[in-house]
Amino acid sequence: MSSGSPFSSHIVGVGGYLPERILSNDELSTMVETSDEWIRERTGIRQRHIIAKDQHTSDLATEAAKQALDDAGLTIDDIDAIIVATTTPDLIFPSTASIVQYKLGGKDFPAWDIQAVCSGFVYGLAQVDGMIRGGMFERILLIGAESMSRILDWQDRLTCVLFGDGAGAVVLEARASDAPNGVIGSVLHCDGSYRHLLMAQHSYSGSVPGEDPTDFQLDSAGVAAIEMKGNEVFRVAVTKLGEVVGEALERYGVEQSEIDWLVPHQANIRILKATAKKLKMNQNQMVVTVNHHANTSAASVPLALNHIYREGKLKQGQLLLLEAFASGFAWGANLVRWSKG
Ligand code: ACO
């Protein structure tokens, strides 16, 4: 499908950052009633990285961004806009993106956050691609960054074993649309009727509890904690991810067999395997990082991309399918033909 735009967008720099502190399953099982075996069997997770007390989401984002800029051979002065996808901003406001801009030494260009939970990076990539095609910006720094450990109830074994902290970043650049490769396109969805199945309740606006399951109820500590109906999330995730992949392939006229790499949101190895099976993809065409850093929400897709890129496995012209499923439920996919050397 042609956009008719004189521009296309290309990933020219990739970076990632995981905080130093590693929390293993064994250590976690001294804090809550669980075991390494249970966590590995059900999720594939072996460990997660945890942000330091004096770090913020913006610090993780800044480190990933520095690596992506360096990788692109660019400085912050070459950037026209910063977008941070995050569910765990440093503050309610200003945006984490504006804090990252300051920490990178940038000035006088737009910076803002987007919130689509674990799908934040996939949503962000669609947004960036649209703005570059529209001729609005030439180079955009897109970051997914999260401190999920700050919104976990560390006594709830149903959720605290699943998440971790980290950040991933890419630099996207405009090129003439007849340049080969680059972002092909995206498909996004949201169905708010599922909103109550995965939530972190915290009222910024002081709403009072009511009968609606998503009416906000502040817990006694005043901190949002993740609540999840795991089985239902799992079931809907596998169905919707299969559908969105099919939709993306059809919309952009791509055959399933052409996909070289599946770069999925890293929530759970069983969701990843079920999606790869639906796509009839070989397991080693699927990027897996959930074992190393658990579910890092909006950081997960760019961290997976960074992982495979640093391993030297991405070759020019290869077709990548990025996909994610998140609270909302919000889900989506991006098709990218790799154009970086
Ligand atoms: N350690 C040990 N036992 C546990 C733990 C734990 N951490 N958590 C639950 N259990 C127990 C339960 O209490 C239950 O015990 P019971 O049979 O005596 O009642 C038993 O294990 C089975 O519990 P289930 O919830 O049925 O376990 P399930 O096989 O569904 O696995 C899981 C749970 C891993 C959360 C799964 O539902 C899942 O992966 N869901 C997807 C959710 C997800 O990935 N969310 C992330 C955010 S959304 C996203 O990013 C896509």
Side-chain angles (χ1 to χ4, degrees), residues 33-35 38-39 42-43 118 157-158 161-163 198 228-231 233-234 237 265-268 270-271 295 325-327:
E33 202 184 329
T34 189
S35 66
W38 192 96
I39 301 171
R42 305 283 174 132
T43 70
C118 305
R157 68 177 184 172
L158 295 173
V161 302
L162 300 175
F163 294 90
L198 180 55
M228 180 180 67
K229 301 264 186 302
N231 287 323
V233 175
F234 189 98
H265 167 49
Q266 308 284 319
N268 181 313
R270 292 185 302 150
I271 296 181
N295 182 346
F325 185 85
S327 167

PDB file of all heavy atoms in Angstrom, residues 33-35 38-39 42-43 118 157-158 161-163 198 228-231 233-234 237 265-268 270-271 295 325-327, ligand 1:
ATOM      1  N   GLU A  33       5.707 -16.231  48.074  1.00  0.00           N
ATOM      2  CA  GLU A  33       5.624 -17.687  47.936  1.00  0.00           C
ATOM      3  C   GLU A  33       5.572 -18.093  46.464  1.00  0.00           C
ATOM      4  O   GLU A  33       4.508 -18.126  45.833  1.00  0.00           O
ATOM      5  CB  GLU A  33       4.374 -18.197  48.666  1.00  0.00           C
ATOM      6  CG  GLU A  33       4.495 -19.659  49.016  1.00  0.00           C
ATOM      7  CD  GLU A  33       3.223 -20.183  49.654  1.00  0.00           C
ATOM      8  OE1 GLU A  33       2.541 -19.408  50.337  1.00  0.00           O
ATOM      9  OE2 GLU A  33       2.932 -21.362  49.431  1.00  0.00           O
ATOM     10  N   THR A  34       6.731 -18.365  45.905  1.00  0.00           N
ATOM     11  CA  THR A  34       6.830 -18.788  44.512  1.00  0.00           C
ATOM     12  C   THR A  34       8.099 -19.614  44.364  1.00  0.00           C
ATOM     13  O   THR A  34       8.785 -19.888  45.349  1.00  0.00           O
ATOM     14  CB  THR A  34       6.823 -17.562  43.567  1.00  0.00           C
ATOM     15  OG1 THR A  34       6.706 -18.010  42.220  1.00  0.00           O
ATOM     16  CG2 THR A  34       8.063 -16.694  43.704  1.00  0.00           C
ATOM     17  N   SER A  35       8.427 -20.019  43.149  1.00  0.00           N
ATOM     18  CA  SER A  35       9.671 -20.765  42.945  1.00  0.00           C
ATOM     19  C   SER A  35      10.202 -20.481  41.542  1.00  0.00           C
ATOM     20  O   SER A  35       9.435 -20.123  40.642  1.00  0.00           O
ATOM     21  CB  SER A  35       9.419 -22.269  43.084  1.00  0.00           C
ATOM     22  OG  SER A  35       8.587 -22.689  42.031  1.00  0.00           O
ATOM     23  N   TRP A  38       8.333 -22.654  39.025  1.00  0.00           N
ATOM     24  CA  TRP A  38       6.983 -22.194  38.643  1.00  0.00           C
ATOM     25  C   TRP A  38       7.096 -21.034  37.660  1.00  0.00           C
ATOM     26  O   TRP A  38       6.444 -21.023  36.623  1.00  0.00           O
ATOM     27  CB  TRP A  38       6.185 -21.756  39.881  1.00  0.00           C
ATOM     28  CG  TRP A  38       4.718 -21.553  39.582  1.00  0.00           C
ATOM     29  CD1 TRP A  38       3.719 -22.461  39.781  1.00  0.00           C
ATOM     30  CD2 TRP A  38       4.093 -20.393  39.003  1.00  0.00           C
ATOM     31  NE1 TRP A  38       2.506 -21.934  39.361  1.00  0.00           N
ATOM     32  CE2 TRP A  38       2.703 -20.667  38.881  1.00  0.00           C
ATOM     33  CE3 TRP A  38       4.551 -19.152  38.558  1.00  0.00           C
ATOM     34  CZ2 TRP A  38       1.794 -19.757  38.351  1.00  0.00           C
ATOM     35  CZ3 TRP A  38       3.637 -18.241  38.036  1.00  0.00           C
ATOM     36  CH2 TRP A  38       2.281 -18.548  37.939  1.00  0.00           C
ATOM     37  N   ILE A  39       7.948 -20.074  37.975  1.00  0.00           N
ATOM     38  CA  ILE A  39       8.032 -18.875  37.127  1.00  0.00           C
ATOM     39  C   ILE A  39       8.565 -19.255  35.740  1.00  0.00           C
ATOM     40  O   ILE A  39       8.034 -18.827  34.719  1.00  0.00           O
ATOM     41  CB  ILE A  39       8.922 -17.789  37.777  1.00  0.00           C
ATOM     42  CG1 ILE A  39       8.367 -17.374  39.137  1.00  0.00           C
ATOM     43  CG2 ILE A  39       9.037 -16.566  36.865  1.00  0.00           C
ATOM     44  CD1 ILE A  39       9.283 -16.471  39.947  1.00  0.00           C
ATOM     45  N   ARG A  42       5.884 -21.312  33.662  1.00  0.00           N
ATOM     46  CA  ARG A  42       4.678 -20.581  33.224  1.00  0.00           C
ATOM     47  C   ARG A  42       4.985 -19.373  32.356  1.00  0.00           C
ATOM     48  O   ARG A  42       4.142 -18.931  31.602  1.00  0.00           O
ATOM     49  CB  ARG A  42       3.887 -20.069  34.438  1.00  0.00           C
ATOM     50  CG  ARG A  42       3.492 -21.105  35.441  1.00  0.00           C
ATOM     51  CD  ARG A  42       2.315 -21.919  34.957  1.00  0.00           C
ATOM     52  NE  ARG A  42       2.052 -22.992  35.903  1.00  0.00           N
ATOM     53  CZ  ARG A  42       0.863 -23.289  36.379  1.00  0.00           C
ATOM     54  NH1 ARG A  42      -0.195 -22.623  35.984  1.00  0.00           N
ATOM     55  NH2 ARG A  42       0.726 -24.287  37.226  1.00  0.00           N
ATOM     56  N   THR A  43       6.199 -18.815  32.502  1.00  0.00           N
ATOM     57  CA  THR A  43       6.457 -17.531  31.828  1.00  0.00           C
ATOM     58  C   THR A  43       7.748 -17.490  31.019  1.00  0.00           C
ATOM     59  O   THR A  43       7.917 -16.608  30.181  1.00  0.00           O
ATOM     60  CB  THR A  43       6.558 -16.382  32.866  1.00  0.00           C
ATOM     61  OG1 THR A  43       7.769 -16.550  33.616  1.00  0.00           O
ATOM     62  CG2 THR A  43       5.378 -16.356  33.814  1.00  0.00           C
ATOM     63  N   CYS A 118       1.993  -1.657  27.356  1.00  0.00           N
ATOM     64  CA  CYS A 118       2.995  -2.512  26.692  1.00  0.00           C
ATOM     65  C   CYS A 118       3.029  -2.296  25.175  1.00  0.00           C
ATOM     66  O   CYS A 118       3.983  -2.696  24.514  1.00  0.00           O
ATOM     67  CB  CYS A 118       2.728  -3.985  26.982  1.00  0.00           C
ATOM     68  SG  CYS A 118       2.645  -4.361  28.724  1.00  0.00           S
ATOM     69  N   ARG A 157       2.035 -12.443  44.356  1.00  0.00           N
ATOM     70  CA  ARG A 157       2.834 -13.327  43.499  1.00  0.00           C
ATOM     71  C   ARG A 157       2.243 -13.480  42.098  1.00  0.00           C
ATOM     72  O   ARG A 157       2.921 -13.921  41.175  1.00  0.00           O
ATOM     73  CB  ARG A 157       2.990 -14.703  44.156  1.00  0.00           C
ATOM     74  CG  ARG A 157       1.704 -15.492  44.249  1.00  0.00           C
ATOM     75  CD  ARG A 157       1.950 -16.861  44.837  1.00  0.00           C
ATOM     76  NE  ARG A 157       0.723 -17.643  44.833  1.00  0.00           N
ATOM     77  CZ  ARG A 157       0.667 -18.917  45.146  1.00  0.00           C
ATOM     78  NH1 ARG A 157       1.774 -19.552  45.499  1.00  0.00           N
ATOM     79  NH2 ARG A 157      -0.466 -19.569  45.117  1.00  0.00           N
ATOM     80  N   LEU A 158       0.950 -13.148  41.954  1.00  0.00           N
ATOM     81  CA  LEU A 158       0.321 -13.254  40.634  1.00  0.00           C
ATOM     82  C   LEU A 158       0.900 -12.250  39.643  1.00  0.00           C
ATOM     83  O   LEU A 158       0.860 -12.455  38.436  1.00  0.00           O
ATOM     84  CB  LEU A 158      -1.190 -13.018  40.736  1.00  0.00           C
ATOM     85  CG  LEU A 158      -1.998 -14.030  41.532  1.00  0.00           C
ATOM     86  CD1 LEU A 158      -3.441 -13.564  41.669  1.00  0.00           C
ATOM     87  CD2 LEU A 158      -1.951 -15.393  40.855  1.00  0.00           C
ATOM     88  N   VAL A 161       6.023 -11.348  39.868  1.00  0.00           N
ATOM     89  CA  VAL A 161       7.037 -12.176  39.215  1.00  0.00           C
ATOM     90  C   VAL A 161       7.186 -11.835  37.726  1.00  0.00           C
ATOM     91  O   VAL A 161       8.137 -12.265  37.076  1.00  0.00           O
ATOM     92  CB  VAL A 161       6.705 -13.686  39.361  1.00  0.00           C
ATOM     93  CG1 VAL A 161       6.607 -14.078  40.822  1.00  0.00           C
ATOM     94  CG2 VAL A 161       5.422 -14.058  38.633  1.00  0.00           C
ATOM     95  N   LEU A 162       6.233 -11.072  37.181  1.00  0.00           N
ATOM     96  CA  LEU A 162       6.139 -10.947  35.721  1.00  0.00           C
ATOM     97  C   LEU A 162       6.890  -9.765  35.110  1.00  0.00           C
ATOM     98  O   LEU A 162       7.164  -9.759  33.912  1.00  0.00           O
ATOM     99  CB  LEU A 162       4.662 -10.819  35.296  1.00  0.00           C
ATOM    100  CG  LEU A 162       3.728 -11.974  35.666  1.00  0.00           C
ATOM    101  CD1 LEU A 162       2.292 -11.622  35.286  1.00  0.00           C
ATOM    102  CD2 LEU A 162       4.156 -13.256  34.977  1.00  0.00           C
ATOM    103  N   PHE A 163       7.192  -8.745  35.923  1.00  0.00           N
ATOM    104  CA  PHE A 163       7.640  -7.480  35.334  1.00  0.00           C
ATOM    105  C   PHE A 163       9.076  -7.104  35.720  1.00  0.00           C
ATOM    106  O   PHE A 163       9.607  -7.583  36.726  1.00  0.00           O
ATOM    107  CB  PHE A 163       6.690  -6.356  35.753  1.00  0.00           C
ATOM    108  CG  PHE A 163       5.306  -6.520  35.193  1.00  0.00           C
ATOM    109  CD1 PHE A 163       4.337  -7.225  35.903  1.00  0.00           C
ATOM    110  CD2 PHE A 163       4.972  -6.002  33.953  1.00  0.00           C
ATOM    111  CE1 PHE A 163       3.059  -7.397  35.386  1.00  0.00           C
ATOM    112  CE2 PHE A 163       3.695  -6.171  33.428  1.00  0.00           C
ATOM    113  CZ  PHE A 163       2.743  -6.864  34.147  1.00  0.00           C
ATOM    114  N   LEU A 198      -6.844  -5.890  33.185  1.00  0.00           N
ATOM    115  CA  LEU A 198      -5.445  -5.583  33.496  1.00  0.00           C
ATOM    116  C   LEU A 198      -5.360  -4.084  33.789  1.00  0.00           C
ATOM    117  O   LEU A 198      -5.550  -3.265  32.896  1.00  0.00           O
ATOM    118  CB  LEU A 198      -4.572  -5.967  32.280  1.00  0.00           C
ATOM    119  CG  LEU A 198      -3.067  -5.745  32.351  1.00  0.00           C
ATOM    120  CD1 LEU A 198      -2.455  -6.426  33.563  1.00  0.00           C
ATOM    121  CD2 LEU A 198      -2.416  -6.282  31.081  1.00  0.00           C
ATOM    122  N   MET A 228      -4.488  -8.105  37.676  1.00  0.00           N
ATOM    123  CA  MET A 228      -4.609  -8.767  36.371  1.00  0.00           C
ATOM    124  C   MET A 228      -5.397 -10.063  36.472  1.00  0.00           C
ATOM    125  O   MET A 228      -5.220 -10.825  37.420  1.00  0.00           O
ATOM    126  CB  MET A 228      -3.187  -9.076  35.884  1.00  0.00           C
ATOM    127  CG  MET A 228      -3.123  -9.766  34.557  1.00  0.00           C
ATOM    128  SD  MET A 228      -1.426 -10.075  34.066  1.00  0.00           S
ATOM    129  CE  MET A 228      -0.940 -11.265  35.306  1.00  0.00           C
ATOM    130  N   LYS A 229      -6.243 -10.298  35.492  1.00  0.00           N
ATOM    131  CA  LYS A 229      -6.878 -11.623  35.329  1.00  0.00           C
ATOM    132  C   LYS A 229      -6.033 -12.357  34.288  1.00  0.00           C
ATOM    133  O   LYS A 229      -6.299 -12.284  33.076  1.00  0.00           O
ATOM    134  CB  LYS A 229      -8.317 -11.468  34.826  1.00  0.00           C
ATOM    135  CG  LYS A 229      -9.218 -10.650  35.745  1.00  0.00           C
ATOM    136  CD  LYS A 229     -10.027 -11.553  36.664  1.00  0.00           C
ATOM    137  CE  LYS A 229     -11.054 -10.822  37.505  1.00  0.00           C
ATOM    138  NZ  LYS A 229     -10.545  -9.774  38.388  1.00  0.00           N
ATOM    139  N   GLY A 230      -4.977 -13.020  34.784  1.00  0.00           N
ATOM    140  CA  GLY A 230      -3.937 -13.572  33.915  1.00  0.00           C
ATOM    141  C   GLY A 230      -4.432 -14.500  32.823  1.00  0.00           C
ATOM    142  O   GLY A 230      -4.028 -14.386  31.664  1.00  0.00           O
ATOM    143  N   ASN A 231      -5.340 -15.424  33.182  1.00  0.00           N
ATOM    144  CA  ASN A 231      -5.818 -16.397  32.190  1.00  0.00           C
ATOM    145  C   ASN A 231      -6.527 -15.715  31.038  1.00  0.00           C
ATOM    146  O   ASN A 231      -6.365 -16.084  29.879  1.00  0.00           O
ATOM    147  CB  ASN A 231      -6.801 -17.375  32.835  1.00  0.00           C
ATOM    148  CG  ASN A 231      -6.082 -18.339  33.738  1.00  0.00           C
ATOM    149  OD1 ASN A 231      -4.972 -18.761  33.428  1.00  0.00           O
ATOM    150  ND2 ASN A 231      -6.677 -18.666  34.862  1.00  0.00           N
ATOM    151  N   VAL A 233      -6.244 -12.521  30.108  1.00  0.00           N
ATOM    152  CA  VAL A 233      -5.289 -11.722  29.333  1.00  0.00           C
ATOM    153  C   VAL A 233      -4.591 -12.637  28.324  1.00  0.00           C
ATOM    154  O   VAL A 233      -4.488 -12.325  27.135  1.00  0.00           O
ATOM    155  CB  VAL A 233      -4.232 -11.054  30.248  1.00  0.00           C
ATOM    156  CG1 VAL A 233      -3.175 -10.333  29.411  1.00  0.00           C
ATOM    157  CG2 VAL A 233      -4.884 -10.081  31.221  1.00  0.00           C
ATOM    158  N   PHE A 234      -4.165 -13.780  28.804  1.00  0.00           N
ATOM    159  CA  PHE A 234      -3.443 -14.734  27.962  1.00  0.00           C
ATOM    160  C   PHE A 234      -4.289 -15.126  26.740  1.00  0.00           C
ATOM    161  O   PHE A 234      -3.843 -15.061  25.594  1.00  0.00           O
ATOM    162  CB  PHE A 234      -3.115 -15.972  28.802  1.00  0.00           C
ATOM    163  CG  PHE A 234      -2.198 -16.935  28.135  1.00  0.00           C
ATOM    164  CD1 PHE A 234      -0.855 -16.923  28.418  1.00  0.00           C
ATOM    165  CD2 PHE A 234      -2.670 -17.851  27.199  1.00  0.00           C
ATOM    166  CE1 PHE A 234       0.011 -17.814  27.786  1.00  0.00           C
ATOM    167  CE2 PHE A 234      -1.821 -18.732  26.566  1.00  0.00           C
ATOM    168  CZ  PHE A 234      -0.480 -18.714  26.865  1.00  0.00           C
ATOM    169  N   ALA A 237      -4.911 -12.203  24.343  1.00  0.00           N
ATOM    170  CA  ALA A 237      -3.644 -11.782  23.722  1.00  0.00           C
ATOM    171  C   ALA A 237      -3.294 -12.672  22.533  1.00  0.00           C
ATOM    172  O   ALA A 237      -2.982 -12.190  21.443  1.00  0.00           O
ATOM    173  CB  ALA A 237      -2.516 -11.802  24.753  1.00  0.00           C
ATOM    174  N   HIS A 265       6.429  -8.206  21.691  1.00  0.00           N
ATOM    175  CA  HIS A 265       6.420  -7.767  23.085  1.00  0.00           C
ATOM    176  C   HIS A 265       6.724  -8.974  23.959  1.00  0.00           C
ATOM    177  O   HIS A 265       6.173 -10.061  23.754  1.00  0.00           O
ATOM    178  CB  HIS A 265       5.048  -7.186  23.420  1.00  0.00           C
ATOM    179  CG  HIS A 265       4.827  -7.000  24.879  1.00  0.00           C
ATOM    180  ND1 HIS A 265       5.741  -6.363  25.684  1.00  0.00           N
ATOM    181  CD2 HIS A 265       3.796  -7.363  25.696  1.00  0.00           C
ATOM    182  CE1 HIS A 265       5.285  -6.340  26.923  1.00  0.00           C
ATOM    183  NE2 HIS A 265       4.114  -6.945  26.960  1.00  0.00           N
ATOM    184  N   GLN A 266       7.598  -8.774  24.939  1.00  0.00           N
ATOM    185  CA  GLN A 266       8.077  -9.883  25.757  1.00  0.00           C
ATOM    186  C   GLN A 266       7.299  -9.967  27.061  1.00  0.00           C
ATOM    187  O   GLN A 266       7.710  -9.412  28.080  1.00  0.00           O
ATOM    188  CB  GLN A 266       9.578  -9.698  26.046  1.00  0.00           C
ATOM    189  CG  GLN A 266      10.426  -9.467  24.813  1.00  0.00           C
ATOM    190  CD  GLN A 266      10.662 -10.740  24.021  1.00  0.00           C
ATOM    191  OE1 GLN A 266      10.895 -11.807  24.592  1.00  0.00           O
ATOM    192  NE2 GLN A 266      10.587 -10.647  22.707  1.00  0.00           N
ATOM    193  N   ALA A 267       6.142 -10.639  27.017  1.00  0.00           N
ATOM    194  CA  ALA A 267       5.335 -10.765  28.239  1.00  0.00           C
ATOM    195  C   ALA A 267       5.509 -12.145  28.845  1.00  0.00           C
ATOM    196  O   ALA A 267       5.645 -12.287  30.053  1.00  0.00           O
ATOM    197  CB  ALA A 267       3.872 -10.518  27.927  1.00  0.00           C
ATOM    198  N   ASN A 268       5.531 -13.149  27.973  1.00  0.00           N
ATOM    199  CA  ASN A 268       5.442 -14.504  28.468  1.00  0.00           C
ATOM    200  C   ASN A 268       5.844 -15.443  27.331  1.00  0.00           C
ATOM    201  O   ASN A 268       5.311 -15.322  26.225  1.00  0.00           O
ATOM    202  CB  ASN A 268       3.970 -14.731  28.869  1.00  0.00           C
ATOM    203  CG  ASN A 268       3.729 -16.093  29.423  1.00  0.00           C
ATOM    204  OD1 ASN A 268       4.170 -17.090  28.857  1.00  0.00           O
ATOM    205  ND2 ASN A 268       3.021 -16.142  30.523  1.00  0.00           N
ATOM    206  N   ARG A 270       5.078 -18.329  26.664  1.00  0.00           N
ATOM    207  CA  ARG A 270       3.990 -19.143  26.108  1.00  0.00           C
ATOM    208  C   ARG A 270       3.153 -18.330  25.117  1.00  0.00           C
ATOM    209  O   ARG A 270       2.675 -18.860  24.122  1.00  0.00           O
ATOM    210  CB  ARG A 270       3.126 -19.723  27.225  1.00  0.00           C
ATOM    211  CG  ARG A 270       3.902 -20.778  28.047  1.00  0.00           C
ATOM    212  CD  ARG A 270       3.014 -21.444  29.070  1.00  0.00           C
ATOM    213  NE  ARG A 270       2.432 -20.471  29.964  1.00  0.00           N
ATOM    214  CZ  ARG A 270       1.250 -20.588  30.564  1.00  0.00           C
ATOM    215  NH1 ARG A 270       0.505 -21.631  30.359  1.00  0.00           N
ATOM    216  NH2 ARG A 270       0.814 -19.661  31.379  1.00  0.00           N
ATOM    217  N   ILE A 271       2.995 -17.022  25.393  1.00  0.00           N
ATOM    218  CA  ILE A 271       2.287 -16.161  24.424  1.00  0.00           C
ATOM    219  C   ILE A 271       3.137 -16.046  23.153  1.00  0.00           C
ATOM    220  O   ILE A 271       2.634 -16.131  22.037  1.00  0.00           O
ATOM    221  CB  ILE A 271       1.998 -14.745  25.005  1.00  0.00           C
ATOM    222  CG1 ILE A 271       1.047 -14.828  26.202  1.00  0.00           C
ATOM    223  CG2 ILE A 271       1.409 -13.826  23.924  1.00  0.00           C
ATOM    224  CD1 ILE A 271       0.681 -13.487  26.834  1.00  0.00           C
ATOM    225  N   ASN A 295       8.840  -8.799  31.739  1.00  0.00           N
ATOM    226  CA  ASN A 295       8.009  -7.896  30.938  1.00  0.00           C
ATOM    227  C   ASN A 295       8.351  -6.448  31.303  1.00  0.00           C
ATOM    228  O   ASN A 295       8.043  -5.993  32.398  1.00  0.00           O
ATOM    229  CB  ASN A 295       6.532  -8.205  31.226  1.00  0.00           C
ATOM    230  CG  ASN A 295       5.583  -7.366  30.407  1.00  0.00           C
ATOM    231  OD1 ASN A 295       5.970  -6.372  29.805  1.00  0.00           O
ATOM    232  ND2 ASN A 295       4.319  -7.747  30.411  1.00  0.00           N
ATOM    233  N   PHE A 325       0.827  -6.453  22.739  1.00  0.00           N
ATOM    234  CA  PHE A 325      -0.524  -6.528  23.295  1.00  0.00           C
ATOM    235  C   PHE A 325      -0.459  -5.946  24.695  1.00  0.00           C
ATOM    236  O   PHE A 325       0.480  -6.228  25.433  1.00  0.00           O
ATOM    237  CB  PHE A 325      -0.978  -7.999  23.353  1.00  0.00           C
ATOM    238  CG  PHE A 325      -2.383  -8.162  23.806  1.00  0.00           C
ATOM    239  CD1 PHE A 325      -3.439  -8.066  22.904  1.00  0.00           C
ATOM    240  CD2 PHE A 325      -2.681  -8.396  25.146  1.00  0.00           C
ATOM    241  CE1 PHE A 325      -4.750  -8.207  23.329  1.00  0.00           C
ATOM    242  CE2 PHE A 325      -3.988  -8.536  25.574  1.00  0.00           C
ATOM    243  CZ  PHE A 325      -5.029  -8.442  24.662  1.00  0.00           C
ATOM    244  N   ALA A 326      -1.452  -5.148  25.060  1.00  0.00           N
ATOM    245  CA  ALA A 326      -1.350  -4.397  26.321  1.00  0.00           C
ATOM    246  C   ALA A 326      -2.694  -4.196  26.981  1.00  0.00           C
ATOM    247  O   ALA A 326      -3.749  -4.383  26.362  1.00  0.00           O
ATOM    248  CB  ALA A 326      -0.757  -3.018  26.015  1.00  0.00           C
ATOM    249  N   SER A 327      -2.616  -3.725  28.210  1.00  0.00           N
ATOM    250  CA  SER A 327      -3.797  -3.277  28.937  1.00  0.00           C
ATOM    251  C   SER A 327      -4.590  -2.316  28.070  1.00  0.00           C
ATOM    252  O   SER A 327      -4.040  -1.548  27.286  1.00  0.00           O
ATOM    253  CB  SER A 327      -3.339  -2.595  30.227  1.00  0.00           C
ATOM    254  OG  SER A 327      -4.407  -1.890  30.804  1.00  0.00           O
TER     255      SER A 327
HETATM  256  N1  ACO B   1       4.218 -18.768  42.110  1.00  0.00           N
HETATM  257  C1  ACO B   1       3.656 -19.944  42.448  1.00  0.00           C
HETATM  258  N2  ACO B   1       2.355 -20.218  42.254  1.00  0.00           N
HETATM  259  C2  ACO B   1       1.605 -19.257  41.688  1.00  0.00           C
HETATM  260  C3  ACO B   1       2.125 -18.018  41.305  1.00  0.00           C
HETATM  261  C4  ACO B   1       3.493 -17.772  41.539  1.00  0.00           C
HETATM  262  N3  ACO B   1       4.080 -16.631  41.203  1.00  0.00           N
HETATM  263  N4  ACO B   1       1.136 -17.287  40.765  1.00  0.00           N
HETATM  264  C5  ACO B   1       0.042 -18.032  40.793  1.00  0.00           C
HETATM  265  N5  ACO B   1       0.300 -19.231  41.366  1.00  0.00           N
HETATM  266  C6  ACO B   1      -0.601 -20.344  41.585  1.00  0.00           C
HETATM  267  C7  ACO B   1      -2.038 -19.905  41.638  1.00  0.00           C
HETATM  268  O1  ACO B   1      -2.384 -19.479  42.945  1.00  0.00           O
HETATM  269  C8  ACO B   1      -2.752 -21.175  41.249  1.00  0.00           C
HETATM  270  O2  ACO B   1      -2.786 -22.048  42.371  1.00  0.00           O
HETATM  271  P1  ACO B   1      -4.077 -22.990  42.628  1.00  0.00           P
HETATM  272  O3  ACO B   1      -4.143 -23.895  41.420  1.00  0.00           O
HETATM  273  O4  ACO B   1      -3.721 -23.694  43.895  1.00  0.00           O
HETATM  274  O5  ACO B   1      -5.242 -22.066  42.723  1.00  0.00           O
HETATM  275  C9  ACO B   1      -1.825 -21.806  40.226  1.00  0.00           C
HETATM  276  O6  ACO B   1      -0.531 -21.215  40.440  1.00  0.00           O
HETATM  277  C10 ACO B   1      -2.263 -21.563  38.799  1.00  0.00           C
HETATM  278  O7  ACO B   1      -2.597 -20.175  38.651  1.00  0.00           O
HETATM  279  P2  ACO B   1      -3.042 -19.570  37.281  1.00  0.00           P
HETATM  280  O8  ACO B   1      -3.287 -18.107  37.442  1.00  0.00           O
HETATM  281  O9  ACO B   1      -4.150 -20.413  36.696  1.00  0.00           O
HETATM  282  O10 ACO B   1      -1.723 -19.810  36.419  1.00  0.00           O
HETATM  283  P3  ACO B   1      -1.534 -19.675  34.879  1.00  0.00           P
HETATM  284  O11 ACO B   1      -1.118 -20.967  34.337  1.00  0.00           O
HETATM  285  O12 ACO B   1      -2.673 -18.967  34.216  1.00  0.00           O
HETATM  286  O13 ACO B   1      -0.286 -18.707  34.808  1.00  0.00           O
HETATM  287  C11 ACO B   1       0.203 -16.404  34.332  1.00  0.00           C
HETATM  288  C12 ACO B   1      -0.385 -17.398  35.334  1.00  0.00           C
HETATM  289  C13 ACO B   1       1.662 -16.738  34.133  1.00  0.00           C
HETATM  290  C14 ACO B   1       0.049 -15.010  34.890  1.00  0.00           C
HETATM  291  C15 ACO B   1      -0.569 -16.560  32.996  1.00  0.00           C
HETATM  292  O14 ACO B   1      -1.942 -16.460  33.190  1.00  0.00           O
HETATM  293  C16 ACO B   1      -0.148 -15.529  31.995  1.00  0.00           C
HETATM  294  O15 ACO B   1       0.946 -15.552  31.532  1.00  0.00           O
HETATM  295  N6  ACO B   1      -1.035 -14.644  31.613  1.00  0.00           N
HETATM  296  C17 ACO B   1      -0.734 -13.588  30.701  1.00  0.00           C
HETATM  297  C18 ACO B   1      -0.604 -12.372  31.495  1.00  0.00           C
HETATM  298  C19 ACO B   1       0.554 -11.515  31.132  1.00  0.00           C
HETATM  299  O16 ACO B   1       1.492 -11.877  30.494  1.00  0.00           O
HETATM  300  N7  ACO B   1       0.446 -10.315  31.634  1.00  0.00           N
HETATM  301  C20 ACO B   1       1.448  -9.360  31.455  1.00  0.00           C
HETATM  302  C21 ACO B   1       0.899  -8.060  31.138  1.00  0.00           C
HETATM  303  S1  ACO B   1      -0.079  -8.095  29.704  1.00  0.00           S
HETATM  304  C22 ACO B   1       0.948  -8.221  28.513  1.00  0.00           C
HETATM  305  O17 ACO B   1       2.019  -7.696  28.592  1.00  0.00           O
HETATM  306  C23 ACO B   1       0.504  -9.037  27.386  1.00  0.00           C
END
